[in-house]
Amino acid sequence: MTGTPMIEIHGVTKRFGAFTAVSDVSLTVNAGEFITLLGPSGCGKTTLLRMLSGFEQPDAGTIRIAGEDVTHLAPYRRNVNQVFQSYALFPHLTVFDNIAFGLRMQKVPAKEIAARVAEVIALVALQGFEQRKPQQLSGGQRQRVALARAIVPRPKVLLLDEPLSALDAKLRHQMQLELKHLQKQIGLTFVFVTHDQEEALTMSDRIAVFSKGRIEQLGTASEIYHHPRTAFVADFIGEANLLPAELVAKEGANVRVRLAQGFELVLPSERWPGAAPRARVSIRPEKICVSKIPIEAEHVFRATVKEEVFQGVFDRLWLETEHGLRLTAVVANESALRPPIHAGDAVWCALHADDIVVLSDAS
Ligand SMILES: Nc1ncnc2c1ncn2[C@@H]1O[C@H](COP(=O)(O)OP(=O)(O)O)[C@@H](O)[C@H]1O
Ligand SMILES: [Mg+2]
């Protein structure tokens, strides 16, 4: 991805005693980009964010913001602002006064404050709520006040640490879209932290997948979903059937790979890690085509449905293939045109070689 770098993180490490929370992380975020740090709890996301805001000092490495080395600069001198999970609004102040608070501290003239607060209130669609107190607002509205307060000083970078996790699912989905829309509208650089893979996929220009203090993979939502490089990423983003695979033979520009006795696939050689005799592959559950009637395709196999779980829009099927492989598949829910598939059914399955991802980490 090209663009003007806004944040340049180079070789940043943070230790707490003998424990390394962030380990040699390098990452460049472009101006106007929405980047998400995604990973399980405890992988170092908040620690990295706190080093960007200046509340934590790295043990090694440098951080530049808008070209300036800010590694050891105090938080208030960084042109960076943060939205917290708990919103941290002043309960006794009105919406207007909560948003105006920082500008008043900076001794911005009252007339300019009025104009700038009105502008951000319009941006977050809170017109008419100026005189309400936080407890007179819904969770989503409080979230928008926190956001307005964070953008009104016009920071160059906004840091958001799990800002939607206190909201219920429906409101969270709505706020995800609102936040993304707002970010594009004002063109601010966002560093967004979440442990929720669906949230990351929905909102981000790029995602940095974290594991144990390191960036495991960096890419767009689609790159990370369709081309995970490691088993951790394949399993953490979406769902994956992870299977061992064995190299059978090289055939010109292709390799023949065995997933089980009697179950071989042909893949372009460049997708296989060199001359490795074995590797792990990932197959997404939705890439397996399942049918009660025979299918015509390159790789067709029979399977038995061991278990079936209704999950609303789709059904989850636990399959045992004729070669003894256990696979999870998801299929669109039954319709008048498509008969339901139940536990105990014998089915035909098809798989395309392009939908098999060979992982590059050690098997
Ligand atoms: N101030 C601290 N002192 C000691 N350990 C810490 C401190 N802050 C974070 N940690 C540890 O560093 C690891 C990463 O924490 P954190 O960055 O909060 O993870 P995340 O935000 O990804 O859940 C955790 O194991 C946490 O316990
Ligand atoms: Mg955290």
Side-chain angles (χ1 to χ4, degrees):
M1 191 162 174
T2 56
T4 318
M6 176 56 79
I7 305 171
E8 295 157 276
I9 302 170
H10 189 76
V12 161
T13 293
K14 178 69 191 178
R15 294 183 206 96
F16 296 109
F19 178 76
T20 305
V22 173
S23 179
D24 193 21
V25 164
S26 295
L27 173 67
T28 300
V29 183
N30 293 312
E33 193 176 9
F34 192 127
I35 196 144
T36 297
L37 313 181
L38 171 69
S41 177
C43 69
K45 307 178 299 290
T46 294
T47 304
L48 183 61
L49 214 62
R50 287 172 61 78
M51 290 190 281
L52 291 176
S53 61
F55 292 113
E56 211 72 79
Q57 294 278 306
D59 293 303
T62 56
I63 298 171
R64 301 173 79 83
I65 292 175
E68 184 190 7
D69 187 339
V70 300
T71 317
H72 301 290
L73 215 57
Y76 68 94
R77 296 188 51 208
R78 290 192 181 205
N79 249 320
V80 162
N81 221 343
Q82 186 158 354
V83 178
F84 297 92
Q85 180 183 336
S86 59
Y87 314 152
L89 300 177
F90 299 115
H92 58 288
L93 295 185
T94 63
V95 167
F96 185 96
D97 291 336
N98 261 287
I99 299 171
F101 186 84
L103 299 179
R104 288 195 177 124
M105 297 294 284
Q106 288 174 31
K107 307 258 187 294
V108 174
K111 219 170 138 188
E112 189 185 333
I113 291 179
R116 281 170 65 177
V117 172
E119 187 189 23
V120 294
I121 280 182
L123 264 178
V124 299
L126 279 175
Q127 299 100 318
F129 292 89
E130 290 86 347
Q131 296 314 316
R132 294 235 192 144
K133 300 273 177 69
Q135 73 270 18
Q136 298 168 308
L137 300 174
S138 70
Q141 288 164 339
R142 275 180 227 165
Q143 175 63 57
R144 284 190 247 150
V145 177
L147 196 63
R149 190 181 57 178
I151 60 180
V152 80
R154 298 182 180 150
K156 289 207 163 90
V157 172
L158 196 64
L159 308 174
L160 303 101
D161 196 351
E162 314 234 5
L164 306 181
S165 57
L167 307 175
D168 64 63
K170 194 143 197 168
L171 187 56
R172 197 162 71 233
H173 288 138
Q174 184 194 329
M175 287 300 294
Q176 286 168 2
L177 299 178
E178 271 187 32
L179 204 56
K180 174 149 185 69
H181 182 74
L182 178 79
Q183 185 267 341
K184 286 294 164 229
Q185 194 182 353
I186 58 180
L188 192 57
T189 308
F190 270 35
V191 184
F192 186 94
V193 164
T194 184
H195 63 270
D196 180 338
Q197 47 110 359
E198 191 202 320
E199 188 159 286
L201 293 173
T202 306
M203 300 178 79
S204 324
D205 293 322
R206 286 189 304 163
I207 300 171
V209 184
F210 269 70
S211 169
K212 297 180 181 153
R214 293 176 183 278
I215 295 180
E216 187 93 0
Q217 191 169 347
L218 173 69
T220 64
S222 152
E223 280 164 6
I224 287 198
Y225 187 84
H226 292 295
H227 305 288
R229 276 204 296 267
T230 66
F232 174 83
V233 175
D235 208 30
F236 192 74
I237 318 289
E239 252 187 280
N241 291 290
L242 298 173
L243 303 170
E246 199 181 322
L247 180 66
V248 179
K250 298 212 174 216
E251 297 176 351
N254 295 320
V255 290
R256 174 171 290 275
V257 167
R258 182 183 294 140
L259 298 184
Q261 197 63 43
F263 190 6
E264 294 181 1
L265 299 154
V266 175
L267 306 172
S269 307
E270 70 266 14
R271 289 179 44 204
W272 189 261
R278 264 172 276 279
R280 259 212 282 195
V281 300
S282 159
I283 302 167
R284 297 287 188 201
E286 75 275 17
K287 305 292 186 191
I288 302 168
C289 179
V290 184
S291 165
K292 292 226 295 201
I293 52 172
I295 327 175
E296 284 275 335
E298 201 180 326
H299 297 292
V300 177
F301 52 91
R302 309 282 317 257
T304 310
V305 180
K306 289 290 173 192
E307 211 174 316
E308 158 229 357
V309 177
F310 174 73
Q311 295 193 309
V313 276
F314 56 82
D315 278 332
R316 179 175 306 272
L317 306 174
W318 273 271
L319 305 172
E320 186 172 328
T321 75
E322 58 187 303
H323 340 86
L325 287 180
R326 299 262 171 161
L327 296 174
T328 301
V330 293
V331 295
N333 202 351
E334 68 193 73
S335 69
L337 294 172
R338 204 157 8 110
I341 298 174
H342 293 305
D345 284 352
V347 291
W348 278 263
C349 301
L351 194 57
H352 197 286
D354 287 355
D355 289 326
I356 296 185
V357 176
V358 182
L359 305 169
S360 64
D361 56 343
S363 44

